Amino acid sequence: GAVVSQHPSWVICKSGTSVKIECRSLDFQATTMFWYRQFPKQSLMLMATSNEGSKATYEQGVEKDKFLINHASLTLSTLTVTSAHPEDSSFYICSARTSGKRGGTQYFGPGTRLTVL
Amino acid sequence: AQTVTQSQPEMSVQEAETVTLSCTYDTSESDYYLFWYKQPPSRQMILVIRQEAYKQQNATENRFSVNFQKAAKSFSLKISDSQLGDAAMYFCAYRSPYSGGGADGLTFGKGTHLIIQP
């Protein structure tokens, strides 16, 4: 149980184009999903919290107009990197939180490697 | 803001031996959650173990156990009978008990690269 998928697993795009990454909770409903970014040999950094039916909450320093998040259903959140540039190249990982009395556990997707040429 | 510190960038252990990975954290909250995640070369984050701060008993999952010292803000992971499949990056993570505004996102340490020697 608690499986999270991400699509695509990798993507290469030209500078200036937009890229959409999907995150799905396959066997549970998630009112809250999270998007993280991981640079090579570094830790995960929280970018934003995605809430079903409401606006995402972005961490300080993350441009919300550049990283558009939509959480349209209880099993799907999308991250769109708009007008991508080479510095946006990174590994993007989503997680979905299970529900629970005192807070759920986050289960992670397999990640998406984005390369911007 | 909370911080998580893993002071061991890399650890090495012989197969079948026991290894302990260190983690300390800083918080002003009295209740919170702590996690250890494993990231193998596939880069899939896998939950290893979870601890709730209000529980005094240390969490255990098969060969994995934690030593949670709340007063010292320490949360170490012990891996017994190490296996080749345990080789991975291990991340310690903190989560606030509160919801909303990004408060329930995870704060990660920098990770410890665990090498298992056959």
Side-chain angles (χ1 to χ4, degrees):
Chain A
V3 179
V4 178
S5 71
Q6 252 182 271
H7 178 79
S9 56
W10 60 270
V11 58
I12 300 173
C13 69
K14 293 182 178 179
S15 187
T17 60
S18 295
V19 173
K20 180 186 283 188
I21 303 169
E22 292 186 349
C23 177
R24 293 181 186 273
S25 55
L26 298 185
D27 52 0
F28 66 100
Q29 293 183 331
T31 55
T32 305
M33 293 183 174
F34 303 87
W35 288 95
Y36 295 84
R37 186 171 179 175
Q38 185 179 32
F39 288 107
K41 299 190 184 300
Q42 293 191 23
S43 189
L44 283 73
M45 295 294 293
L46 178 66
M47 297 175 64
T49 301
S50 171
N51 302 295
E52 189 267 336
S54 64
K55 290 183 179 180
T57 304
Y58 291 82
E59 294 300 298
Q60 196 170 10
V62 177
E63 299 175 58
K64 58 183 177 184
D65 293 333
K66 181 167 192 59
F67 298 100
L68 300 179
I69 291 171
N70 184 272
H71 194 154
S73 77
L74 288 172
T75 58
L76 174 63
S77 175
T78 60
L79 168 69
T80 301
V81 183
T82 62
S83 187
H85 288 97
E87 57 266 30
D88 299 323
S89 297
S90 187
F91 193 64
Y92 293 87
I93 310 177
C94 74
S95 71
R97 192 182 71 192
T98 58
S99 59
K101 269 188 180 179
R102 289 182 58 85
T105 297
Q106 289 186 33
Y107 292 90
F108 286 82
T112 297
R113 181 181 302 279
L114 170 63
T115 302
V116 184
L117 302 176
Chain B
Q2 295 79 23
T3 58
V4 177
T5 302
Q6 292 180 250
S7 58
Q8 305 155 316
E10 186 173 282
M11 290 284 284
S12 181
V13 64
Q14 290 287 129
E15 196 175 1
E17 296 292 306
T18 295
V19 64
T20 298
L21 308 184
S22 302
C23 172
T24 59
Y25 56 94
D26 188 28
T27 183
S28 58
E29 296 170 330
S30 58
D31 196 13
Y32 43 86
Y33 306 90
L34 296 166
F35 304 85
W36 279 97
Y37 282 90
K38 166 185 175 181
Q39 188 180 42
S42 68
R43 302 192 77 173
Q44 170 75 60
M45 295 289 285
I46 302 167
L47 175 67
V48 175
I49 203 163
R50 159 190 165 127
Q51 175 81 42
E52 293 165 88
Y54 74 93
K55 290 185 177 178
Q56 292 186 337
Q57 187 172 8
N58 289 323
T60 300
E61 288 288 340
N62 301 312
R63 298 183 294 107
F64 299 88
S65 61
V66 298
N67 184 2
F68 173 48
Q69 302 287 330
K70 190 173 183 179
K73 295 180 181 175
S74 170
F75 182 60
S76 61
L77 174 70
K78 185 171 83 171
I79 305 174
S80 304
D81 185 25
S82 298
Q83 300 176 0
L84 293 177
D86 295 334
M89 282 292 290
Y90 284 81
F91 292 98
C92 179
Y94 173 101
R95 178 184 177 275
S96 169
Y98 305 108
S99 296
D104 46 0
L106 294 173
T107 300
F108 286 92
K110 291 189 175 183
T112 296
H113 181 210
L114 179 63
I115 298 167
I116 310 295
Q117 308 221 354

